[in-house]
mmCIF file of all heavy atoms in Angstrom:
data_model
loop_
_atom_site.group_PDB
_atom_site.id
_atom_site.type_symbol
_atom_site.label_atom_id
_atom_site.label_comp_id
_atom_site.label_asym_id
_atom_site.label_seq_id
_atom_site.Cartn_x
_atom_site.Cartn_y
_atom_site.Cartn_z
ATOM 1 N N THR A 624 66.580 0.480 -5.600
ATOM 2 C CA THR A 624 66.576 -0.957 -5.882
ATOM 3 C C THR A 624 67.732 -1.324 -6.809
ATOM 4 O O THR A 624 68.354 -2.377 -6.666
ATOM 5 C CB THR A 624 65.244 -1.369 -6.533
ATOM 6 O OG1 THR A 624 64.180 -1.092 -5.623
ATOM 7 C CG2 THR A 624 65.245 -2.858 -6.881
ATOM 8 N N PHE A 625 68.017 -0.433 -7.771
ATOM 9 C CA PHE A 625 69.050 -0.728 -8.755
ATOM 10 C C PHE A 625 70.417 -0.164 -8.385
ATOM 11 O O PHE A 625 71.440 -0.695 -8.813
ATOM 12 C CB PHE A 625 68.631 -0.183 -10.128
ATOM 13 C CG PHE A 625 67.349 -0.771 -10.634
ATOM 14 C CD1 PHE A 625 66.217 0.004 -10.791
ATOM 15 C CD2 PHE A 625 67.263 -2.118 -10.940
ATOM 16 C CE1 PHE A 625 65.042 -0.540 -11.242
ATOM 17 C CE2 PHE A 625 66.088 -2.677 -11.401
ATOM 18 C CZ PHE A 625 64.963 -1.887 -11.557
ATOM 19 N N CYS A 626 70.443 0.932 -7.646
ATOM 20 C CA CYS A 626 71.710 1.585 -7.325
ATOM 21 C C CYS A 626 71.897 1.721 -5.823
ATOM 22 O O CYS A 626 70.937 1.985 -5.098
ATOM 23 C CB CYS A 626 71.765 2.976 -7.956
ATOM 24 S SG CYS A 626 71.950 2.936 -9.739
ATOM 25 N N PRO A 627 73.124 1.586 -5.344
ATOM 26 C CA PRO A 627 73.390 1.746 -3.910
ATOM 27 C C PRO A 627 73.069 3.159 -3.439
ATOM 28 O O PRO A 627 73.331 4.139 -4.139
ATOM 29 C CB PRO A 627 74.894 1.462 -3.787
ATOM 30 C CG PRO A 627 75.290 0.828 -5.075
ATOM 31 C CD PRO A 627 74.342 1.285 -6.118
ATOM 32 N N GLY A 628 72.501 3.272 -2.243
ATOM 33 C CA GLY A 628 72.169 4.575 -1.690
ATOM 34 C C GLY A 628 73.376 5.446 -1.461
ATOM 35 O O GLY A 628 73.287 6.675 -1.508
ATOM 36 N N SER A 629 74.531 4.832 -1.221
ATOM 37 C CA SER A 629 75.738 5.630 -0.987
ATOM 38 C C SER A 629 76.299 6.218 -2.280
ATOM 39 O O SER A 629 77.196 7.055 -2.249
ATOM 40 C CB SER A 629 76.814 4.778 -0.308
ATOM 41 O OG SER A 629 77.162 3.669 -1.112
ATOM 42 N N PHE A 630 75.785 5.782 -3.435
ATOM 43 C CA PHE A 630 76.238 6.310 -4.720
ATOM 44 C C PHE A 630 75.401 7.498 -5.187
ATOM 45 O O PHE A 630 75.907 8.404 -5.849
ATOM 46 C CB PHE A 630 76.190 5.215 -5.787
ATOM 47 C CG PHE A 630 77.439 4.384 -5.864
ATOM 48 C CD1 PHE A 630 78.182 4.100 -4.722
ATOM 49 C CD2 PHE A 630 77.890 3.869 -7.063
ATOM 50 C CE1 PHE A 630 79.331 3.334 -4.781
ATOM 51 C CE2 PHE A 630 79.041 3.103 -7.142
ATOM 52 C CZ PHE A 630 79.764 2.830 -5.996
ATOM 53 N N LEU A 631 74.108 7.485 -4.904
ATOM 54 C CA LEU A 631 73.199 8.510 -5.394
ATOM 55 C C LEU A 631 72.600 9.291 -4.238
ATOM 56 O O LEU A 631 72.444 8.777 -3.127
ATOM 57 C CB LEU A 631 72.070 7.898 -6.226
ATOM 58 C CG LEU A 631 72.441 7.174 -7.514
ATOM 59 C CD1 LEU A 631 71.184 6.632 -8.177
ATOM 60 C CD2 LEU A 631 73.179 8.088 -8.466
ATOM 61 N N SER A 632 72.250 10.528 -4.503
ATOM 62 C CA SER A 632 71.516 11.330 -3.532
ATOM 63 C C SER A 632 70.442 12.112 -4.267
ATOM 64 O O SER A 632 70.575 12.405 -5.462
ATOM 65 C CB SER A 632 72.445 12.283 -2.778
ATOM 66 O OG SER A 632 73.006 13.235 -3.672
ATOM 67 N N ILE A 633 69.383 12.436 -3.576
ATOM 68 C CA ILE A 633 68.285 13.213 -4.149
ATOM 69 C C ILE A 633 68.282 14.569 -3.462
ATOM 70 O O ILE A 633 68.143 14.661 -2.245
ATOM 71 C CB ILE A 633 66.945 12.484 -3.972
ATOM 72 C CG1 ILE A 633 66.980 11.161 -4.752
ATOM 73 C CG2 ILE A 633 65.790 13.361 -4.446
ATOM 74 C CD1 ILE A 633 65.763 10.300 -4.562
ATOM 75 N N VAL A 634 68.448 15.616 -4.270
ATOM 76 C CA VAL A 634 68.622 16.975 -3.745
ATOM 77 C C VAL A 634 67.430 17.828 -4.145
ATOM 78 O O VAL A 634 67.071 17.901 -5.326
ATOM 79 C CB VAL A 634 69.920 17.611 -4.294
ATOM 80 C CG1 VAL A 634 70.082 19.023 -3.767
ATOM 81 C CG2 VAL A 634 71.123 16.753 -3.934
ATOM 82 N N LYS A 635 66.815 18.484 -3.163
ATOM 83 C CA LYS A 635 65.694 19.382 -3.427
ATOM 84 C C LYS A 635 66.226 20.683 -4.020
ATOM 85 O O LYS A 635 67.144 21.300 -3.487
ATOM 86 C CB LYS A 635 64.939 19.705 -2.137
ATOM 87 C CG LYS A 635 64.399 18.482 -1.401
ATOM 88 C CD LYS A 635 63.238 17.846 -2.127
ATOM 89 C CE LYS A 635 62.642 16.697 -1.310
ATOM 90 N NZ LYS A 635 61.537 16.038 -2.003
ATOM 91 N N THR A 636 65.656 21.098 -5.150
ATOM 92 C CA THR A 636 66.031 22.352 -5.792
ATOM 93 C C THR A 636 64.764 23.119 -6.144
ATOM 94 O O THR A 636 63.649 22.652 -5.894
ATOM 95 C CB THR A 636 66.837 22.101 -7.084
ATOM 96 O OG1 THR A 636 65.975 21.491 -8.057
ATOM 97 C CG2 THR A 636 68.027 21.188 -6.822
ATOM 98 N N ARG A 637 64.951 24.285 -6.743
ATOM 99 C CA ARG A 637 63.790 25.065 -7.159
ATOM 100 C C ARG A 637 62.992 24.358 -8.244
ATOM 101 O O ARG A 637 61.794 24.576 -8.401
ATOM 102 C CB ARG A 637 64.249 26.447 -7.659
ATOM 103 C CG ARG A 637 64.882 27.312 -6.567
ATOM 104 C CD ARG A 637 65.389 28.628 -7.135
ATOM 105 N NE ARG A 637 66.023 29.440 -6.096
ATOM 106 C CZ ARG A 637 66.592 30.612 -6.324
ATOM 107 N NH1 ARG A 637 66.609 31.108 -7.538
ATOM 108 N NH2 ARG A 637 67.155 31.295 -5.339
#
Side-chain angles (χ1 to χ4, degrees):
T624 299
F625 300 114
C626 289
S629 60
F630 272 34
L631 297 179
S632 64
I633 297 175
V634 179
K635 302 289 185 181
T636 67
R637 295 177 181 178

